[in-house]
Amino acid sequence: MRSMEGREAAPARRLRRGATALVLAVPLAWAAVAVTQLSGVWLFSRIGPLAWAVSGLAWLVAVAATALVAAAFCLVRRFLLAGMAFVVGAAGATAIVRTDWTAAFVHGYYERHHAGFLAVAELARTHQLDPFPAELRYLAFTGDPIVYGASTVYLPAWTGIVDGVTGYAFIGDPPAGSIVECAGDPCQVRWSLGDGWSWIDMYHR
């Protein structure tokens, strides 16, 4: 009897484990999309436009995972679980679309490395940016800070092919939306972060 019960219980356990794996696949897939969105600035600074391909692939996998998991549950008549998969997928996609991931990354990175930014600001105020300290170069995602004049510094996430800078800039605290000069080129302040730092974008008329 116990042997028969064990044989009968084994498929049930496998089914439960399989169902658990399917249930987890959907939120994990959408979590991967969120990670690619949050790290979009960093990815673009490393691999350029290929970052869009990485993001697109993550979206494709998440949508496919949601559809396949829901279909799998429908095939075994677990319609409640199928509906839950769709709800989780829709909720994940909606939350991702409604979140300003660039803002989250820019402000989060600034807060995480606040001491480093303050150190660069102090060097700028005392006109000691040349040479730029090697231990603070990580703040510029390109690894190449741009020192302009005696007390202005740009920490680029990326630069234009011809001109323009996107990234952190020690330029005072101009209000968001201001058009400022960035090493001779126009840039637009997207966020003023405090302590003299702003996030600037390339500006094209």
Side-chain angles (χ1 to χ4, degrees), residues 29-115:
W30 287 106
V33 176
V35 170
T36 63
Q37 297 298 300
L38 180 61
S39 59
V41 172
W42 182 87
L43 278 175
F44 197 91
S45 72
R46 293 296 187 271
I47 60 176
L50 284 176
W52 297 330
V54 172
S55 176
L57 179 62
W59 274 93
L60 180 62
V61 169
V63 171
T66 302
L68 290 174
V69 168
F73 280 130
C74 285
L75 287 175
V76 295
R77 297 182 179 277
R78 299 292 184 92
F79 298 114
L80 178 60
L81 290 175
M84 289 174 60
F86 270 119
V87 168
V88 170
T94 301
I96 289 169
V97 169
R98 289 186 174 180
T99 300
D100 187 338
W101 294 102
T102 301
F105 179 87
V106 167
H107 288 82
Y109 189 87
Y110 179 76
E111 290 300 325
R112 181 178 180 183
H113 300 284
H114 194 218

Side-chain angles (χ1 to χ4, degrees), residues 9-25 73 78:
R13 286 196 297 270
R14 288 196 294 269
L15 181 61
R16 284 195 296 271
R17 287 197 292 268
T20 301
L22 287 175
V23 168
L24 291 175
F73 280 130
R78 299 292 184 92

